[in-house]
Amino acid sequence: MDKEERKIINQSQEDEMEVYGYNLCRWKLAVVSLGVICTGGFLLLLLYWMPEWRVKATCVRAAVRDCDVVLLRTTDEFRMWFCAKIRLLTLENDSFSNPKSILNKICNGHGVHLTENPAGENRHEPTKYLQTHSQQIRYFTHHSVKYFWDDTIHNFDFLKGLDEGVSCTSIYEKHSAGLTKGMHAYRKLLYGINEITVKVPSVFKLLIKEVLNPFYIFQLFSVILWSTDEYYYYALAIVIMSLVSIVASLYSIRKQYVMLHDMVATHSTVRVSVCRVNEEIEEIFSTDLVPGDVMVIPLNGTVMPCDAVLISGTCIVNESMLTGESVPVTKTNLPNPSMDVKGTGEEFYSPETHKRHTLFCGTTVIQTRFYTGELVKAVVVRTGFSTSKGQLVRSILYPKPTDFKLYRDAYLFLLCLVGVAAIGFIYTIINNILNEVEVGTIIVESLDIITITVPPALPAAMTAGIVYAQRRLKTVGIFCISPQRINICGQLNLVCFDKTGTLTEDGLDLWGIQRVDHTRFLLPEENVCNETLVRSQFVACMATCHSLTKIEGVLSGDPLDLKMFEAIGWVLEEATEEETALHNRIMPTVVRPPQQLLPEPTPAGSEDMELFELPAVYEIGIVRQFPFASALQRMSVVAKVLGEKKMDAYMKGAPEVIASLCRPETVPADFERVLEDYTKQGFRVIALAHRKLESKLTWHKVQNISRDAIENNMDFMGLIIMQNKLKQETPAVLEDLHKANIRTVMVTGDNMLTAVSVARDCGMILPQDKIIIAEALPPKDGKVAKINWHYADSLPQGGNSSAISSEVIPVKLAHDSLEDLQSTRYHFAMNGKSFSVILEHFQDLVPKLMLHGTVFARMAPDQKTQLVEALQNVDYFVGMCGDGANDCGALKRAHGGISLSELEASVASPFTSKTPSISCVPNLIREGRAALMTSFCVFKFMALYSIIQYASVTLLYSILSNLGDFQFLFIDMAIILVLVFTMSLNPAWKELVAQRPPSGLISGALLFSVLSQMIISIGFQSLGFFWVKQQLWYKVCPPYLDACNTTGSLHWNSSHSCNETEPDKIKNYENTTVFFISSFQYLTVAVVFSKGKPFRQPCYKNYFFVVSVIILSFFVLFIMLHPIAFVDEVLELVCVPYEWRITMLLIVLLNAFISVTVEESVDRWGKCCFSWAALHCRKKIPKAKYMCLAQELLVDPEWPPKPQTTTEAKASSKGNGACQVITIGSDPVSAVY
C-alpha cells in the first residue's frame, strides 16, 4: 500500500479532516531526546505546541490501515493539526461464533452502520470492520468520537446508530422487539458507555496546561533573565501578576468545566426499563443503553438519556435545553409505513426529518399518553456523544477558533515588534562588544531588550475590554457564552430577523374567520364563540386541531393554538392515567363547548327513549394527532364526536398547502384573490379543512395509519385570520440600524405576502422601494429549472390592490453614480422552495440575490442556516436575531447570533437576551463596536509602551546604563497596568452611527497614527538624552550628595567617591532625564489613544481613567519639580538643577501638544488623505465581495431582471453543476402576477 496515502474522514461535513498514517521511529526518537536535553527542554515545549512537528520528528510515514499514530488536519480555513494514537478493541468471540452473525455489509456505500441481516435474523452487528483473522478492531478517538477502521471502504469512520440508512419500516419490523442480552452486550463493547462525559480536569493538570502556554513560558524566561540582572523586585512583581492571572484563569476554566459537567451530569445516570426480544422488561442503568434497545418511557416522565424514536404512545416534551424555547412540544409515534396501504416503505428515518417523533437526549418528558394498556416505547437510535445533546456539548468543549481580522493582524503586529526587538538585540551585542563588556552581561542585556519590546501584559490588556463589555451587556439583560464574539459583533453590517415573536408580537390576536359554504366565501365573522357555530365542523376543527396540553392544570402549547382555542371558549380535558389504563378505547384528550352555548334539549312523547340514548353533552375526542411540521407547513388530527360512528379528519396550516390537499371543487374560485388581500394587509392566514373518514377505519387502524393517507381529498372549510401586530419598538430599532448602514433581512416561516407586508410596515422596505419576487421552479418533465420574476405592487391605503403592469415600474438600465442606484432601490423576495432551487441550479445568481434579498418566507430551519452561509460567502458580517426555537442552526452559524429567550443562557446561541425585544440588537452592536475600539486603543497603547521603553533602554544601553529596578516597577505597575485597565472602561456611545470601525490593525490611518506617535516619542526622548549632555553642569558621574548645588562648594563623601571610568550604572543625568520624559509619554499616548466618539463615550466620562491620569501626572510632576529624598533613593534618581527640571517640563508639554495635534489630524483628515492617495495611485477595488459585486451591477443593464421575465438554467455539458443563464421574456398575458 502507498505509504504517502492520504485519507479523508467526515467527507463533505463541517468537521472534515485529512488523515495521515505514521509509525514510531526509534532513531528519530533518540535524536529528539538528545535535542530536548541540549535545548534544556525548549524543543520538548515546541513539539508540545506543534502536533505536526511532534509526529514528523518522531515517526515515519506508514499506510493508514497499519499505522500506530494518525496525524489529522482539518480542511477548513484554519488547517489545524491534531494527532491521535491507534488503539485496539478486542472482542470476545465465544458468543458470536456463528458466521451468520459476522456481517460484512455496508449501508449507503460508506460508514459504519448497524447493518441488517438478510437472513432475517434479529441481529444487526456493526462488525464489518473486523480484521479477517482476528477479532480486533483498530480505532482512534478524536474530540470524544471513536473512528473505527472499516475494511470495506479502506478508511476510518465513526460508528453510526439507527439515525442513518435505516428505513422507517425496519424500525418497526426489525428493531421494535428489542435486543437479546447477548446482542446488547456485544453492541455495548463497540458503542461503549452511553454517557456524555465532561471530565473536570484536576487542578494540577489544568495548572500544567495553563503554565505551558507560550505566553507564560515567555514570562518565565523574562523572570529568570531579570533575576540574573538583579531586577528582583520587578521579577517578583511579574511573578505575582502571573500567579494572579494563572489562578484567575484556572478558576474561570474550572468553573466552566464544572458548570458544563453539572449540566451534562444531571440525570445522566438513571434506571430505565428496556424491552427484550422475549417481551420481558428488564431494568438497567441508562449508561448501558445501546442503539437498538427499546426503552419504556415512564408515566411520570423522565429526562431522556439518549436519542430515541417513539414507536408507541405520545409524549409532551420540554426541549428548552436544546432550543431555548420553553413551549412544550408534542411528540407522536413514528408512522409505520407497512400499516398504510399507500405508504412508502422505503422512507429512511432521520432525526431531523422525523424530529416530531424523536425524543432528544437532555430534553424532559413531562407527560406520556398511551392507549389500550400499551406501554409508551421508543427505540434508541443514538447514544453518548452521537446524540443531539452530545454534539452540542462537543461544540462547547471543542469550539472552532474565532477567525477575525483583528486577531490575525495582532499576530502580524507582534511579529513586527519581534523584528524591532531583533534590531535592538543586534545593536546591544555590537555596542557591548565595542565597549568590551563581559560576555555574561552582553547575553543578559541583549535578551532583556526582547522582553521589553514584546510586552508580557498584552494578552491580559486585550482581554480587559471584552470582559468589561460582557459585564455591561449583562446589565442590559444580554448574556454571552462566547466573549470573543463581542468584538466581531462590532463589525456586523447585516442582521437577519425572524418575524413572529421577534419583529412582531409573539401572541397572535384572532381578527376573524371567513367560512366557505357551497364553494363560496361567506362574509368575514368576528365572533366565533356563539350558539350558531358551536356544532359546525369549522369550530370543531379549531377545537381539535392543535397540540395543546394541560400541565399541572394550566393549558399550554403553541401561542397560535392557544389564541385559536381561547377564541372559541371551549374546555379541554385530558384523561387521567387510571382512566387510560382501565378503559379499552378511552379518548386521551376530550374537548367540549361551555354548557351555555349548547341548546337545551326538548324531549317530547315517544321520542323520550331515543333522546335519552343521545349524548347529553356534545364532546369531541382527539384520537390521533399528526403534529405541525415546518417542512409540511400543516398539522392534522383524527377526532370522533361522542356517539357518532364515523371519525373526522381535521387539518389546518398554510392556505396554499391546505388548498392543494383539498378537492378542487371545494376550494372557492376567488381563493387566491381573497388570500392575497389578507396577506397584503399583514394578516397571518390559516386555512382549515375536513373530511369524514370511512367507517372501516377503526381506532386501532388509525393509530398506525400514515398522515399521507389522512391528509388528502379534504373539503376546504375556510380561513382563520390572525392579526400579528408589530412590536412597539420594532420600527424605531430598524430605523436606527438603517441609519447606521446596517442591512436588515427578514427570514420567516410565514406566508410570502404577509412577510412583505410586515417588511413594509416596519420600515425594512421603504414605500418607494420596489419588490421583485423570485419564483423558482425545479426541473420537471424534461424542462430545465427556471425563475419567474414578478414585481410586487405596493399596497394602496384603501387596501384594494391590483397588479401593476410592467410599463409602470422604472427599471434600472445603467447608473453613473450611487445616487442613481439609491433612487431605484429594489429588494428581492422569495420563499424557501425557490431559495432551494436557486441554491442548486442557479449558483451564479446567488451572490446577486444576496446583495438585495430582503424577504425570505416559508423558510425551513436548515434553509435559514443556508441563507446565513450564503450571506457570509459574499463577505457580510451577519447577525441573526430569533426566538431560538427553529433558528438554532442560523444562530450558531451567524457571526453574532442573539436569541430572544427568557432563559438566562441558551446554549443554542452565543448571545441570549433576557428581554424578548430586538432593541438588544443595536445594544449588542454598540457594545461590540466599543469593545473593538477598546481593543484597538489598548493594542496601540501597548505597542507604544513597548517602543517607548525600548527607546529608553536602547539610549541608556549606549552609555552602558539602564533603567533601575524600581523605575521599571513604577512604569509597568503604577503607570501601564493602571492605565490599561482603566482606559478599557469607556462605555459604548449612546447611539449607532453610519461609520463602521476598522476590522483590522493593518490600515493606513491606524498604522500612520502608531508610527507618528513612535517617531514623536523617540524624538523627544532622544532630544532630552542628548541635550542633557550639552549642559554646563553635566558630568558623567553626578555628585552623590548635593547634585543640585551647581554654584556653591560641593561636599563629597570619600566613601562615595566616583570614578569616571566606572560610573554608577543607574544613577546618572541621562537616566533621570529619560525616566521623567518617558513617564509623561506613557500618560500622553494613553490620553491620545483613548478615543471616544463615535463608538465610545468620551474619555472624560471615564472617571476612573481621568482620576488615574491626573494622580499619576501630578505625582510624576511633583517628584520632578520638587525632589523628595526618599523617592529619589527608591527610584534611583539623581538631583538635577531646577533650570533643567523646567526644561524637561517644557519638553514634556511640547511632546504632549504635538502628539495630540498629530492624532487629531490623523482622525480628521487621515482617512480622506489615504482614500485620495489610494484612488490616485490605482483604481481602488473593494476588499469585500459584496462591494465588488455592487460595483459590477451598477453597469449591468440586465440587472435587476425586468418584470414578467423568466430566467432559465441550462446545465453545462461538463455536468459540474455550472449554469448557463438565459433570460427570456414571458407571455404578457400568461405571466400576469
Side-chain angles (χ1 to χ4, degrees):
M1 191 178 284
D2 180 17
K3 288 190 177 182
E4 296 300 311
E5 69 175 337
R6 180 193 67 173
K7 300 286 187 184
I8 304 286
I9 59 172
N10 304 329
Q11 199 151 12
S12 303
Q13 293 179 35
E14 192 179 357
D15 53 352
E16 183 181 272
M17 288 180 291
E18 297 169 353
V19 182
Y20 303 90
Y22 283 87
N23 282 335
L24 200 64
C25 177
R26 293 187 183 282
W27 69 263
K28 279 190 169 186
L29 194 61
V31 171
V32 168
S33 302
L34 187 66
V36 169
I37 294 165
C38 294
T39 57
F42 181 72
L43 180 60
L44 188 65
L45 273 173
L46 201 62
L47 297 180
Y48 169 77
W49 295 327
M50 310 289 286
E52 179 198 3
W53 293 6
R54 182 165 74 247
V55 172
K56 289 181 177 178
T58 57
C59 302
V60 290
R61 284 298 295 270
V64 175
R65 69 164 294 156
D66 303 315
C67 62
D68 300 327
V69 178
V70 286
L71 190 60
L72 309 166
R73 182 170 67 172
T74 60
T75 56
D76 56 17
E77 67 271 26
F78 302 106
R79 313 290 282 178
M80 292 177 69
W81 290 93
F82 303 94
C83 66
K85 191 178 179 182
I86 298 291
R87 300 183 184 277
L88 295 175
L89 177 66
T90 305
L91 296 177
E92 296 294 333
N93 204 25
D94 302 341
S95 308
F96 311 102
S97 53
N98 180 0
K100 286 186 179 180
S101 71
I102 308 294
L103 302 175
N104 283 312
K105 180 186 172 189
I106 189 77
C107 292
N108 294 338
H110 66 84
V112 182
H113 295 271
L114 290 173
T115 57
E116 295 167 11
N117 192 334
E121 292 187 11
N122 189 28
R123 292 191 176 188
H124 317 288
E125 286 89 348
T127 55
K128 60 192 176 330
Y129 39 81
L130 293 176
Q131 306 300 316
T132 313
H133 302 294
S134 66
Q135 295 298 311
Q136 285 191 324
I137 309 174
R138 300 166 57 77
Y139 74 96
F140 68 88
T141 306
H142 174 67
H143 285 178
S144 301
V145 175
K146 286 182 181 177
Y147 294 87
F148 292 87
W149 177 258
D150 183 354
D151 265 332
T152 55
I153 59 170
H154 302 291
N155 199 356
F156 283 99
D157 202 358
F158 64 90
L159 194 59
K160 298 177 178 69
L162 297 178
D163 55 320
E164 285 188 41
V166 178
S167 65
C168 294
T169 307
S170 70
I171 291 277
Y172 277 97
E173 291 181 357
K174 299 178 181 178
H175 299 285
S176 60
L179 301 173
T180 62
K181 288 186 178 181
M183 176 48 67
H184 176 270
Y186 184 59
R187 286 193 182 174
K188 193 181 169 189
L189 271 174
L190 288 163
Y191 285 99
I193 294 174
N194 170 36
E195 198 173 30
I196 302 169
T197 49
V198 178
K199 291 180 181 174
V200 179
S202 66
V203 175
F204 180 73
K205 277 187 180 178
L206 281 175
L207 181 65
I208 295 298
K209 194 175 179 182
E210 189 70 17
V211 167
L212 291 182
N213 182 301
F215 164 65
Y216 288 119
I217 295 297
F218 178 66
Q219 280 202 335
L220 180 66
F221 163 74
S222 303
V223 165
I224 294 167
L225 189 68
W226 294 325
S227 300
T228 58
D229 207 16
E230 297 181 357
Y231 292 160
Y232 298 120
Y233 294 109
Y234 184 54
L236 182 64
I238 291 294
V239 167
I240 292 168
M241 266 179 58
S242 300
L243 285 174
V244 170
S245 176
I246 288 169
V247 168
S249 182
L250 285 182
Y251 174 76
S252 173
I253 293 168
R254 189 170 166 81
K255 187 182 174 186
Q256 287 175 0
Y257 268 112
V258 169
M259 281 176 65
L260 190 59
H261 175 269
D262 291 347
M263 181 187 84
V264 171
T266 309
H267 306 291
S268 63
T269 307
V270 291
R271 294 192 76 85
V272 293
S273 298
V274 292
C275 298
R276 293 291 175 226
V277 172
N278 53 6
E279 296 187 1
E280 70 169 297
I281 305 292
E282 183 187 358
E283 199 172 80
I284 61 172
F285 282 110
S286 58
T287 49
D288 295 329
L289 288 171
V290 295
D293 269 330
V294 176
M295 180 181 167
V296 178
I297 311 297
L299 300 177
N300 55 350
T302 184
V303 175
M304 286 301 295
C306 58
D307 286 355
V309 59
L310 267 177
I311 55 170
S312 68
T314 305
C315 294
I316 312 295
V317 184
N318 183 342
E319 294 189 325
S320 58
M321 185 268 165
L322 288 180
T323 63
E325 180 59 58
S326 56
V327 174
V329 182
T330 303
K331 303 278 186 172
T332 58
N333 59 301
L334 183 74
N336 186 354
S338 62
M339 299 291 288
D340 178 26
V341 182
K342 296 174 67 179
T344 54
E346 286 307 307
E347 184 186 8
F348 284 97
Y349 168 73
S350 162
E352 281 305 310
T353 311
H354 300 98
K355 65 180 179 181
R356 283 289 184 174
H357 315 292
T358 305
L359 303 171
F360 292 105
C361 180
T363 59
T364 306
V365 178
I366 303 167
Q367 290 178 0
T368 59
R369 298 273 180 273
F370 59 97
Y371 319 112
T372 56
E374 286 186 14
L375 296 170
V376 179
K377 296 178 186 175
V379 177
V380 177
V381 291
R382 295 186 298 204
T383 57
F385 277 101
S386 299
T387 62
S388 50
K389 181 180 177 181
Q391 290 166 9
L392 186 66
V393 172
R394 281 181 66 224
S395 69
I396 298 169
L397 280 175
Y398 314 107
K400 283 187 81 171
T402 309
D403 182 35
F404 191 39
K405 199 168 183 293
L406 170 68
Y407 304 127
R408 293 201 304 271
D409 288 354
Y411 288 121
L412 282 173
F413 216 90
L414 278 175
L415 282 175
C416 293
L417 289 178
V418 170
V420 172
I423 295 168
F425 179 79
I426 295 164
Y427 163 77
T428 307
I429 292 173
I430 294 169
N431 181 62
N432 283 342
I433 289 171
L434 292 175
N435 285 284
E436 298 178 356
V437 177
E438 291 178 6
V439 175
T441 308
I442 293 175
I443 293 169
V444 170
E445 290 192 348
S446 55
L447 290 174
D448 198 23
I449 203 87
I450 296 172
T451 66
I452 287 165
T453 317
V454 183
L458 183 62
M462 292 287 282
T463 309
I466 297 171
V467 171
Y468 295 146
Q470 193 175 358
R471 282 184 188 171
R472 287 194 297 270
L473 284 172
K474 199 169 182 179
T475 58
V476 292
I478 300 172
F479 298 91
C480 172
I481 61 168
S482 181
Q484 292 301 325
R485 293 215 186 198
I486 296 175
N487 268 345
I488 301 175
C489 288
Q491 281 294 310
L492 294 183
N493 52 11
L494 183 147
V495 183
C496 298
F497 290 97
D498 184 28
K499 183 180 77 71
T500 310
T502 304
L503 296 173
T504 58
E505 295 288 351
D506 204 8
L508 296 161
D509 295 319
L510 186 73
W511 181 83
I513 62 169
Q514 191 156 8
R515 292 184 295 140
V516 169
D517 187 29
H518 296 95
T519 71
R520 297 188 66 174
F521 276 113
L522 302 176
L523 291 172
E525 300 166 79
E526 281 185 32
N527 185 18
V528 193
C529 186
N530 60 55
E531 292 181 12
T532 55
L533 293 175
V534 70
R535 286 181 181 264
S536 67
Q537 296 289 6
F538 194 95
V539 170
C541 184
M542 291 177 71
T544 57
C545 200
H546 53 70
S547 58
L548 301 177
T549 186
K550 277 193 173 178
I551 297 173
E552 295 179 358
V554 180
L555 204 61
S556 63
D558 186 88
L560 184 146
D561 287 347
L562 271 171
K563 282 284 180 187
M564 189 176 72
F565 193 77
E566 286 167 2
I568 58 173
W570 282 40
V571 179
L572 181 139
E573 285 183 358
E574 290 180 331
T576 62
E577 292 171 16
E578 291 78 12
E579 288 173 328
T580 308
L582 283 170
H583 300 279
N584 194 31
R585 294 189 181 180
I586 189 78
M587 303 304 177
T589 304
V590 173
V591 290
R592 66 167 187 269
Q595 198 62 42
Q596 61 268 26
L597 287 181
L598 289 171
E600 291 292 326
T602 52
S606 62
E607 294 180 337
D608 280 0
M609 194 64 194
E610 189 183 5
L611 284 167
F612 179 75
E613 290 172 2
L614 288 174
V617 180
Y618 177 59
E619 288 185 347
I620 305 174
I622 302 169
V623 180
R624 177 83 193 273
Q625 186 186 91
F626 298 100
F628 177 79
S630 299
L632 300 175
Q633 297 174 9
R634 64 181 183 269
M635 79 164 289
S636 58
V637 293
V638 176
K640 188 178 181 183
V641 177
L642 195 66
E644 290 194 6
K645 289 182 179 179
K646 289 186 179 181
M647 296 186 189
D648 297 277
Y650 296 106
M651 180 168 64
K652 81 166 195 285
E656 311 94 321
V657 176
I658 300 299
S660 68
L661 295 170
C662 290
R663 291 184 294 134
E665 61 269 23
T666 66
V667 180
D670 58 347
F671 163 73
E672 288 186 6
R673 184 190 62 77
V674 171
L675 175 63
E676 190 177 321
D677 283 349
Y678 282 125
T679 52
K680 281 188 174 180
Q681 294 174 64
F683 290 116
R684 181 161 182 184
V685 184
I686 295 154
L688 305 184
H690 159 264
R691 78 174 167 104
K692 280 278 183 191
L693 296 177
E694 301 84 357
S695 54
K696 66 178 182 181
L697 273 177
T698 62
W699 178 93
H700 187 72
K701 283 183 180 177
V702 165
Q703 295 311 314
N704 297 294
I705 200 167
S706 79
R707 70 188 299 164
D708 291 336
I710 297 291
E711 295 172 344
N712 62 68
N713 289 322
M714 308 286 275
D715 294 340
F716 191 82
M717 290 201 299
L719 305 172
I720 297 176
I721 300 99
M722 310 289 284
Q723 196 169 18
N724 196 195
K725 295 175 183 174
L726 278 177
K727 285 185 178 176
Q728 193 175 353
E729 66 276 3
T730 295
V733 169
L734 294 182
E735 189 182 356
D736 287 346
L737 293 174
H738 288 159
K739 283 179 181 175
N741 285 340
I742 296 170
R743 254 188 77 191
T744 52
V745 170
M746 184 190 295
V747 49
T748 177
D750 208 342
N751 174 281
M752 165 75 76
L753 293 175
T754 303
V756 168
S757 170
V758 171
R760 282 204 184 277
D761 290 345
C762 67
M764 196 175 278
I765 297 174
L766 299 176
Q768 66 272 22
D769 294 354
K770 306 302 173 192
I771 301 169
I772 306 169
I773 294 179
E775 182 195 2
L777 303 171
K780 192 177 180 183
D781 302 329
K783 294 180 181 178
V784 295
K786 62 179 182 179
I787 306 174
N788 296 323
W789 306 99
H790 307 295
Y791 276 50
D793 57 324
S794 56
L795 185 73
Q797 291 299 316
N800 299 318
S801 59
S802 59
I804 294 179
S805 64
S806 59
E807 286 78 12
V808 178
I809 297 172
V811 179
K812 173 180 74 67
L813 296 175
H815 293 287
D816 296 322
S817 67
L818 281 168
E819 285 73 19
D820 292 336
L821 180 64
Q822 293 302 318
S823 65
T824 54
R825 281 183 54 172
Y826 58 93
H827 303 262
F828 287 107
M830 68 192 77
N831 60 26
K833 287 179 182 175
S834 297
F835 180 69
S836 292
V837 172
I838 290 166
L839 276 186
E840 188 176 350
H841 300 284
F842 297 88
Q843 290 180 5
D844 296 344
L845 286 180
V846 172
K848 295 180 181 179
L849 292 171
M850 290 305 104
L851 200 64
H852 289 281
T854 302
V855 176
F856 296 86
R858 295 287 187 224
M859 296 285 276
D862 60 324
Q863 290 174 330
K864 292 183 179 183
T865 309
Q866 290 169 345
L867 173 65
V868 169
E869 287 174 343
L871 289 164
Q872 288 173 335
N873 288 340
V874 289
D875 292 346
Y876 277 111
F877 281 90
V878 183
M880 172 74 198
C881 183
D883 56 14
N886 55 357
D887 307 315
C888 293
L891 287 167
K892 283 182 184 177
R893 179 70 64 195
H895 291 108
I898 182 160
S899 168
L900 305 183
S901 170
E902 291 181 6
L903 299 173
E904 206 169 89
S906 168
V907 288
S909 162
F911 299 94
T912 305
S913 174
K914 208 172 182 182
T915 51
S917 159
I918 65 165
S919 57
C920 62
V921 174
N923 285 340
L924 178 61
I925 297 173
R926 284 190 306 106
E927 287 296 349
R929 288 180 171 187
L932 188 57
M933 284 313 297
T934 298
S935 295
F936 284 130
C937 294
V938 167
F939 203 93
K940 285 163 69 177
F941 174 68
M942 293 302 285
L944 257 294
Y945 149 61
S946 297
I947 295 301
I948 291 168
Q949 199 166 81
Y950 171 81
S952 303
V953 172
T954 307
L955 287 169
L956 294 173
Y957 273 3
S958 68
I959 59 165
L960 306 182
S961 180
N962 200 352
L963 290 172
D965 196 357
F966 278 98
Q967 288 175 347
F968 272 123
L969 199 61
F970 175 76
I971 290 168
D972 285 38
M973 302 294 289
I975 298 180
I976 303 304
L977 285 183
V978 170
L979 292 180
V980 159
F981 290 116
T982 54
M983 77 189 296
S984 303
L985 285 168
N986 283 38
W989 185 246
K990 53 184 178 286
E991 59 190 31
L992 279 175
V993 293
Q995 185 184 343
R996 280 174 57 209
S999 59
L1001 291 164
I1002 313 298
S1003 66
L1006 205 142
L1007 283 177
F1008 184 76
S1009 164
V1010 172
L1011 288 171
S1012 59
Q1013 294 299 331
M1014 282 181 181
I1015 292 164
I1016 292 164
S1017 300
I1018 294 169
F1020 277 99
Q1021 272 198 62
S1022 302
L1023 174 67
F1025 180 79
F1026 291 111
W1027 196 3
V1028 74
K1029 290 184 177 185
Q1030 308 303 315
Q1031 302 305 308
L1032 295 173
W1033 44 264
Y1034 172 79
K1035 284 188 178 183
V1036 174
C1037 184
Y1040 183 78
L1041 293 176
D1042 194 7
C1044 299
N1045 186 0
T1046 55
T1047 55
S1049 59
L1050 301 177
H1051 303 282
W1052 282 64
N1053 189 318
S1054 59
S1055 62
H1056 295 284
S1057 60
C1058 176
N1059 182 355
E1060 292 205 5
T1061 57
E1062 291 183 16
D1064 189 294
K1065 190 176 179 181
I1066 307 298
K1067 289 188 175 182
N1068 52 59
Y1069 292 126
E1070 292 92 339
N1071 171 287
T1072 302
T1073 303
V1074 166
F1075 171 76
F1076 281 123
I1077 293 173
S1078 65
S1079 294
F1080 278 109
Q1081 284 179 339
Y1082 298 125
L1083 295 166
T1084 302
V1085 292
V1087 173
V1088 163
F1089 286 153
S1090 190
K1091 297 277 178 27
K1093 200 175 173 182
F1095 305 117
R1096 304 197 307 165
Q1097 295 279 5
C1099 67
Y1100 59 77
K1101 288 199 174 181
N1102 182 351
Y1103 304 116
F1104 286 105
F1105 178 69
V1106 172
V1107 169
S1108 301
V1109 170
I1110 290 170
I1111 291 172
L1112 285 167
S1113 301
F1114 178 78
F1115 177 75
V1116 177
L1117 188 65
F1118 184 79
I1119 62 171
M1120 185 175 81
L1121 296 178
H1122 191 278
I1124 302 166
F1126 171 72
V1127 174
D1128 284 0
E1129 187 66 33
V1130 171
L1131 292 176
E1132 299 181 79
L1133 300 172
V1134 294
C1135 194
V1136 293
Y1138 187 74
E1139 293 80 7
W1140 182 244
R1141 295 175 191 279
I1142 299 299
T1143 307
M1144 283 194 292
L1145 178 60
L1146 293 172
I1147 291 172
V1148 164
L1149 291 173
L1150 185 62
N1151 183 352
F1153 174 76
I1154 293 174
S1155 290
V1156 171
T1157 306
V1158 168
E1159 189 64 20
E1160 284 296 314
S1161 304
V1162 170
D1163 276 352
R1164 190 166 295 180
W1165 299 301
K1167 214 168 233 181
C1168 303
C1169 294
F1170 283 109
S1171 301
W1172 180 85
L1175 285 168
H1176 282 74
C1177 293
R1178 58 181 172 81
K1179 190 174 180 181
K1180 190 178 179 184
I1181 300 170
K1183 289 180 181 177
K1185 289 178 187 173
Y1186 71 89
M1187 288 183 177
C1188 296
L1189 195 61
Q1191 286 189 352
E1192 289 172 17
L1193 295 181
L1194 281 174
V1195 291
D1196 186 352
E1198 297 299 321
W1199 195 263
K1202 296 177 181 63
Q1204 316 302 344
T1205 58
T1206 300
T1207 299
E1208 289 188 352
K1210 258 188 188 175
S1212 66
S1213 56
K1214 292 178 183 177
N1216 58 358
C1219 296
Q1220 181 187 358
V1221 180
I1222 305 166
T1223 302
I1224 57 171
S1226 59
D1227 183 355
V1229 178
S1230 62
V1232 171
Y1233 173 56

